[in-house]
Amino acid sequence: LREIQKVNHLLIYQIMKSIKIQKLSMINFKGIRSFEINFGNEETFVFADNGVGKTTIFDAFNWLLFGKDSLGRSDFEIKTLDAQGSIIPKIEHEVSSTLSIDGTILLLRRILKENWVKKRGSAIAEFAGNITEYYWNDVPVQQKEYQSNISQLLDEQIFKLITSTSAFNNLDWKQRRCILSSM
């Protein structure tokens, strides 16, 4: 098993792609009504006071790719809240990004919508859950296809390792040793 893990890690490193974020957009994501970052060819630094959205930007990119926040939670709240702290109903929550992958442009988009249904005989629509829509190069795709495409593009575990300073230390010592040995 250990040898298989080493081979898998070596294969992953050999097929690693050059992925550059060109643009990241958010609409109604975790309280940010509308925000867009255009990344240049140079390094982009995001810095600001605490509590103004730096982590939200990273959460948005993680949600777009994996449906999780930067801590790996899939059950975090992305909906925009009003001044009283209540969810604003009937608005869409969207994250999109333009990526350059080995020089080829890829457009990703994920939209969370509330499903409001009028039951027969009722004049008022009731909340019936959320619907998530997925787009790959502006073409609607099913969740399974989207996740499959993302996993072929980028391994979630490697993404965590290269984007989080604590990810490696949070691994079991055997996993850390395996990764180091494979490098």
Side-chain angles (χ1 to χ4, degrees), residues 145-172:
E145 181 182 355
Y146 186 87
Q147 289 172 334
S148 174
N149 289 343
I150 292 292
S151 68
Q152 290 174 19
L153 177 67
L154 180 65
D155 179 75
E156 185 176 355
Q157 184 67 23
I158 290 178
F159 180 79
K160 285 180 189 176
L161 288 172
I162 62 176
T163 59
S164 172
T165 56
S166 62
F168 183 76
N169 288 334
N170 289 338
L171 293 174
D172 178 67

Side-chain angles (χ1 to χ4, degrees), residues 3-163:
E3 290 302 314
I4 292 171
Q5 288 174 333
K6 286 181 185 177
V7 170
N8 284 342
H9 283 292
L10 287 172
L11 288 173
I12 288 169
Y13 288 117
Q14 290 173 356
I15 61 171
M16 181 92 48
K17 297 170 176 45
S18 167
I19 300 174
K20 295 179 183 176
I21 306 171
Q22 292 186 334
K23 181 168 73 170
L24 180 70
S25 302
M26 295 179 277
I27 299 171
N28 297 320
F29 186 85
K30 288 182 66 177
I32 295 180
R33 292 299 196 140
S34 180
F35 185 75
E36 182 174 292
I37 299 176
N38 288 300
F39 297 90
N41 291 329
E42 301 297 319
E43 292 180 39
T44 300
F45 296 94
V46 177
F47 54 91
D49 291 336
N50 289 337
V52 295
K54 298 180 304 292
T55 302
T56 300
I57 295 168
F58 190 43
D59 285 345
F61 193 63
N62 275 278
W63 183 72
L64 176 66
L65 295 175
F66 308 112
K68 300 175 182 176
D69 69 359
S70 55
L71 299 175
R73 301 175 301 186
S74 57
D75 62 345
F76 74 109
E77 188 58 64
I78 70 164
K79 293 184 177 182
T80 301
L81 307 177
D82 63 17
Q84 289 75 36
S86 299
I87 293 172
I88 301 172
K90 300 180 181 176
I91 62 172
E92 295 180 359
H93 310 276
E94 177 181 330
V95 176
S96 61
S97 186
T98 303
L99 305 175
S100 173
I101 301 163
D102 292 333
T104 302
I105 299 300
L106 173 63
L107 305 172
L108 297 176
R109 186 163 43 136
R110 184 185 283 230
I111 303 171
L112 180 74
K113 296 180 176 182
E114 293 182 345
N115 185 20
W116 290 84
V117 178
K118 264 191 199 179
K119 293 185 178 175
R120 190 171 17 182
S122 176
I124 300 172
E126 295 180 20
F127 177 67
N130 296 310
I131 300 168
T132 305
E133 295 178 353
Y134 304 87
Y135 296 85
W136 192 271
N137 281 329
D138 286 332
V139 176
V141 294
Q142 297 295 318
Q143 178 183 7
K144 192 171 186 174
E145 181 182 355
Y146 186 87
Q147 289 172 334
S148 174
N149 289 343
I150 292 292
S151 68
Q152 290 174 19
L153 177 67
L154 180 65
D155 179 75
E156 185 176 355
Q157 184 67 23
I158 290 178
F159 180 79
K160 285 180 189 176
L161 288 172
I162 62 176
T163 59

